[in-house]
């Protein structure tokens, strides 16, 4: 029996050591990778200092050129859009990290239907931010909501599971070339979208997501941050009620809402898109000029 207990203790200590040492090694990788999201998340958590912060998922990441917007506003701008961050849970998590080090004057949030619709796994991409678990209780509240809190509390190595391959590859392949304050230009695509499709207006609304959109709004207001919602162009046609859920929240909280999708901006220019949801660099630069002008007018009110 003593040998059994000794064996169990030995294995437990060994697993603990592997987990902690592995976690330390992957933390070093995470802090030095040059993959698409690692350096940006690191910057948002530790170094952000700009006046204007753009937030959202890949559509934010690819559509807003900070240097163009900054020239128009006369304010410093950072594109904090993170690929596949998907919905309001990730944005709320990141906002807590940002406010721990800096209070932007303006936050522009690229919203989309995923921010309020039901999904099979709405927390699947908050795992991208797990390396920073334990730093900020407000951010960690999302891990509690997702049922991941104790997994990350127990295992340091598990925190790096979601982006391990990408982080390691980013030590060899630099995907940050041409970076402009968080914006990385999307190259000319091999093909443009070939046909215009109609997107159905979503019907299934997730009440918990709506609650967190409001929490995001409240957190901005509590810190005297001017908040703007925007929806950039997509190569799909939608009816005028497609974003009514988000527009209602914006109206209730007196938030400017810039909707370029419903109005059909660039539907006559498929050559600006790399796919139906994303602009490539040419389209992003043209769109950023329009957005910057509209944002300037809002901020001057």
């Amino acid at each position: 029996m003593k040998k059994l207990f000794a064996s169990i203790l030995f294995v437990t200590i060994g697993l603990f050591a592997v987990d902690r040492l592995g976690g330390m090694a992957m933390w070093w990788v995470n802090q030095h990778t040059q993959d698409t999201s690692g350096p940006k998340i690191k910057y948002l958590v530790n170094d952000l200092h700009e006046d204007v912060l753009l937030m959202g998922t890949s559509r934010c990441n690819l559509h807003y050129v900070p240097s163009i917007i900054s020239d128009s506003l006369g304010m410093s701008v950072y594109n904090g859009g993170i690929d596949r961050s998907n919905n309001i849970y990730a944005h709320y998590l990141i906002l807590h990290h940002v406010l721990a080090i800096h209070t932007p004057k303006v936050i522009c949030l690229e919203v989309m239907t995923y921010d309020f619709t039901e999904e099979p796994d709405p927390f699947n991409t908050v795992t991208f931010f797990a390396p920073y678990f334990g730093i900020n209780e407000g951010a960690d509240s999302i891990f509690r909501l997702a049922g991941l809190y104790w997994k990350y509390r127990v295992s340091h190595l598990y925190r790096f599971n979601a982006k391990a391959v990408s982080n390691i590859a980013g030590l060899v392949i630099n995907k940050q070339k041409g970076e402009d304050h968080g914006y990385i230009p999307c190259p000319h695509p091999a093909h443009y979208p070939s046909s215009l499709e109609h997107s159905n207006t979503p019907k299934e609304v997730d009440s918990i997501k709506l609650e967190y959109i409001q929490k995001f709004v409240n957190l901005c207001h509590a810190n005297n941050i001017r908040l703007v919602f925007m929806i950039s162009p997509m190569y799909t046609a939608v009816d005028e009620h497609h974003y009514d859920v988000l527009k209602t929240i914006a109206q209730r909280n007196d938030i400017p809402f810039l909707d370029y999708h419903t109005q059909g901006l660039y539907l006559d220019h498929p050559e600006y898109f790399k796919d139906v949801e994303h602009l490539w660099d040419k389209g992003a630069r043209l769109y950023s000029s329009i957005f910057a002008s509209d944002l300037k007018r809002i901020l001057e009110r």
Side-chain angles (χ1 to χ4, degrees):
M1 186 62 72
K2 289 183 178 180
K3 288 185 177 180
L4 177 60
F5 284 141
S7 297
I8 294 173
L9 180 61
F10 179 79
V11 170
T12 301
I13 293 173
L15 290 174
F16 179 85
V18 169
D19 179 77
R20 292 307 189 260
L21 291 173
M24 291 171 62
M26 286 307 301
W27 173 255
W28 184 92
V29 171
N30 178 269
Q31 295 299 292
H32 292 84
T33 186
Q34 292 298 310
D35 72 353
T36 54
S37 61
K40 179 175 287 189
I41 296 173
K42 177 183 176 182
Y43 186 85
L44 289 168
V45 173
N46 297 303
D47 302 308
L48 184 78
H49 61 273
E50 282 80 2
D51 299 322
V52 180
L53 174 62
L54 306 166
M55 297 184 68
T57 184
S58 60
R59 287 174 41 72
C60 176
N61 186 34
L62 294 176
H63 291 182
Y64 299 88
V65 185
S67 56
I68 293 175
I69 300 170
S70 180
D71 286 346
S72 177
L73 300 182
M75 304 168 73
S76 56
V77 179
Y78 186 77
N79 184 330
I82 299 170
D83 288 359
R84 297 182 62 201
S85 54
N86 273 25
N87 62 45
I88 190 61
Y89 297 130
H91 311 327
Y92 180 77
L93 186 157
I94 282 294
L95 180 60
H96 272 283
H97 279 298
V98 165
L99 293 179
I101 63 162
H102 175 61
T103 304
K105 296 177 182 177
V106 181
I107 288 180
C108 301
L109 178 63
E110 170 84 15
V111 290
M112 51 196 301
T113 55
Y114 287 131
D115 287 313
F116 66 87
T117 54
E118 292 184 352
E119 297 177 87
D121 184 7
F123 301 105
N124 66 329
T125 56
V126 298
T127 54
F128 293 176
F129 311 101
Y132 295 92
F133 174 85
I135 295 175
N136 184 290
E137 181 56 36
D140 288 351
S141 67
I142 294 296
F143 297 127
R144 290 184 185 276
L145 186 66
L148 295 167
Y149 183 87
W150 286 106
K151 293 179 181 179
Y152 294 146
R153 176 63 69 190
V154 171
S155 175
H156 289 198
L157 189 56
Y158 186 67
R159 301 173 188 177
F160 300 90
N161 186 55
K163 298 284 285 183
V165 174
S166 176
N167 282 180
I168 292 170
L171 295 177
V172 179
I173 304 172
N174 184 352
K175 296 185 178 181
Q176 303 296 311
K177 295 178 181 178
E179 191 264 353
D180 175 354
H181 296 85
Y183 169 77
I184 301 174
C186 179
H188 192 293
H191 304 284
Y192 306 129
S194 57
S195 60
L196 183 64
E197 297 182 0
H198 188 277
S199 294
N200 295 325
T201 299
K203 297 180 180 180
E204 302 300 326
V205 176
D206 187 327
S207 60
I208 301 177
K209 284 184 177 180
L210 295 184
E211 178 184 338
Y212 274 83
I213 295 174
Q214 189 61 52
K215 285 186 175 185
F216 187 102
V217 171
N218 293 344
L219 200 51
C220 288
H221 286 175
N223 286 274
N224 296 314
I225 298 169
R226 297 192 68 176
L227 179 60
V228 176
F229 286 170
M230 69 277 195
I231 303 172
S232 52
M234 279 191 270
Y235 198 67
T236 58
V238 293
D239 64 45
E240 61 179 340
H241 301 294
H242 197 73
Y243 298 105
D244 277 1
V245 172
L246 294 169
K247 290 178 180 178
T248 298
I249 294 173
Q251 291 171 356
R252 185 170 65 235
N253 291 278
D254 195 25
I255 299 169
F257 195 106
L258 299 173
D259 176 9
Y260 302 94
H261 183 205
T262 302
Q263 67 176 276
L265 182 64
Y266 295 151
L267 289 186
D268 55 343
H269 287 285
E271 71 274 14
Y272 293 169
F273 293 84
K274 85 177 189 76
D275 55 42
V276 296
E277 292 190 346
H278 302 95
L279 300 164
W280 68 283
D281 187 53
K282 178 180 179 180
R285 292 183 179 278
L286 292 169
Y287 167 63
S288 291
S289 296
I290 295 173
F291 172 75
S293 177
D294 291 343
L295 180 60
K296 182 178 182 180
R297 185 169 59 253
I298 287 171
L299 298 182
E300 287 177 345
R301 289 176 187 169

